[in-house]
Amino acid sequence: MNILIVDDTHPSLFEMLKQAGFVYRYEPAFKRADILTHIADYEGLIIRSKTFIDEEILQKAPKLRFIARAGAGLDLIDIAAAEKRNIKVFAANEGNRDAVAEHAVGMLLGLFANIVKADREVRQGIWDREGNRGIELMGKTVGLIGYGFNGSATAQRLSGFGCNVLAYDKYLVNYGNAYAWEVTLEELMEKAEVISLHVPLTEETRHLVNDDFIERMAHPFFLLNMARGEIVGLESVVNGLKSGKIRGTCLDVLENEKLSMLTPNQQAAFDYLRTSDRVILTPHVAGWTQESYVKINEVLVKQILASQKVEKSAI
């Protein structure tokens, strides 16, 4: 099988592909036009975050048998267009679950203990102990929306801090386990003191957290988003922070991550968030560790090989 790789990737992938018997071409500098020009020659395509794979590209790819995304989520791929052509679609959701879970807990602890605020003040010669008195994670009720790889890994970490973890996942059944109670969305919104999002970006989840969602929460709460920025409306978050309904937020992702190209409303919301002591921001790196970079490749190659075995057994 001949595979085209069009994004930067950890070099561990190359040896894995060789050992599996695949031939690959590594072109991380390829733009959309380049993909359109060359894709016809390849049975496999590996992407990360640069290019949306849509009908136009797939029309140019008569040999294509799979698309693999070296990351979590498939919102960069037109799934319907791929399915129409019997093209398999893979994502390495499992590969960065430990990284995401650790990042979520780290951001939450940083927010609760005022670590970012206190660090900034001490560097300025301000020694304010009382103003940085924190709160404890122990005993807090945390609601996870989405209980796949990342959600369940986060629940495991939080349970170790003595949290009461509730989980809601619309597309799973009987998923409660030793680390989280399975609940309805209504029960989660009634009891949770912290909400953490672990769902893919779809039309259903776009702006899931909006003014109405925040208003429906029974208690003031903390909000974490390690999933996709478009799931959370930033103007709604600002409104929630101003009203006190949102006590604080940790955002690894934003609606628009091209900070030089924000709309006026997005800029106003971002300016409020970046100057607030109740907000911790990171640049979409929750799943971005040295270890996850390799694990993602391992997961992808394993899925490609499994798909090959299924195809061969069907012949």
Side-chain angles (χ1 to χ4, degrees), residues 3-270:
I3 299 171
L4 178 63
I5 306 168
V6 295
D7 269 302
D8 290 314
T9 187
H10 191 276
S12 62
L13 177 64
F14 309 140
E15 186 59 32
M16 293 178 198
L17 291 174
K18 287 179 183 178
Q19 290 183 1
F22 298 126
V23 177
Y24 67 87
R25 179 179 176 183
Y26 182 48
E27 297 288 355
F30 262 22
K31 306 296 184 185
R32 182 180 181 87
D34 301 310
I35 298 174
L36 286 166
T37 300
H38 295 279
I39 191 63
D41 297 328
Y42 295 91
E43 290 90 23
L45 176 66
I46 296 179
I47 67 171
R48 191 162 55 81
S49 302
K50 185 170 62 180
T51 304
F52 184 72
I53 306 302
D54 56 9
E55 182 78 25
E56 182 186 20
I57 290 177
L58 295 181
Q59 286 178 350
K60 300 284 189 179
K63 297 180 182 179
L64 199 63
R65 290 158 60 185
F66 78 82
I67 304 167
R69 177 162 187 265
L74 296 173
D75 44 290
L76 287 172
I77 302 169
D78 186 333
I79 302 298
E83 289 178 345
K84 184 170 65 176
R85 294 169 171 80
N86 294 317
I87 297 171
K88 299 287 194 305
V89 178
F90 309 123
N93 294 359
E94 183 180 358
N96 65 2
R97 62 180 177 181
D98 296 320
V100 170
E102 292 183 11
H103 196 89
V105 174
M107 290 189 84
L108 190 58
L109 290 171
L111 186 65
F112 277 20
N114 295 311
I115 289 174
V116 175
K117 172 178 176 291
D119 174 80
R120 185 167 56 244
E121 290 176 353
V122 172
R123 291 172 188 270
Q124 296 171 353
I126 301 170
W127 194 264
D128 180 12
R129 295 184 68 205
E130 186 56 37
N132 287 297
R133 187 187 292 272
I135 60 175
E136 296 178 7
L137 188 51
M138 169 71 79
K140 295 292 186 295
T141 298
V142 181
L144 305 177
I145 299 180
Y147 205 63
F149 290 117
N150 291 342
S152 58
T154 302
Q156 183 178 5
R157 271 65 173 188
L158 289 170
S159 66
F161 282 88
C163 294
N164 175 35
V165 184
L166 310 178
Y168 167 74
D169 195 308
K170 182 177 180 178
Y171 298 100
L172 298 177
V173 293
N174 300 321
Y175 52 88
N177 56 22
Y179 305 117
W181 295 94
E182 178 181 343
V183 298
T184 64
L185 181 59
E186 290 72 23
E187 186 176 356
L188 185 146
M189 296 179 77
E190 172 67 28
K191 296 180 178 179
E193 300 167 89
V194 178
I195 294 286
S196 187
L197 302 170
H198 300 274
V199 293
L201 176 64
T202 65
E203 287 308 308
E204 188 175 24
T205 62
R206 190 180 300 275
H207 281 187
L208 171 67
V209 177
N210 53 23
D211 290 333
D212 179 65
F213 179 99
I214 294 167
E215 179 63 28
R216 287 165 55 204
M217 287 292 296
H219 311 287
F221 67 102
F222 296 91
L223 174 67
L224 281 74
N225 188 12
M226 313 289 138
R228 288 291 184 269
E230 297 94 325
I231 295 170
V232 174
L234 290 191
E235 290 183 60
S236 296
V237 172
V238 171
N239 293 337
L241 288 166
K242 288 180 177 178
S243 71
K245 194 63 182 286
I246 295 180
R247 298 178 63 185
T249 185
C250 299
L251 302 173
D252 180 56
V253 288
L254 299 175
E255 278 184 282
N256 184 353
E257 295 177 359
K258 297 179 180 178
L259 299 184
S260 63
M261 301 176 63
L262 301 179
T263 67
N265 286 344
Q266 289 172 341
Q267 187 66 59
F270 178 68

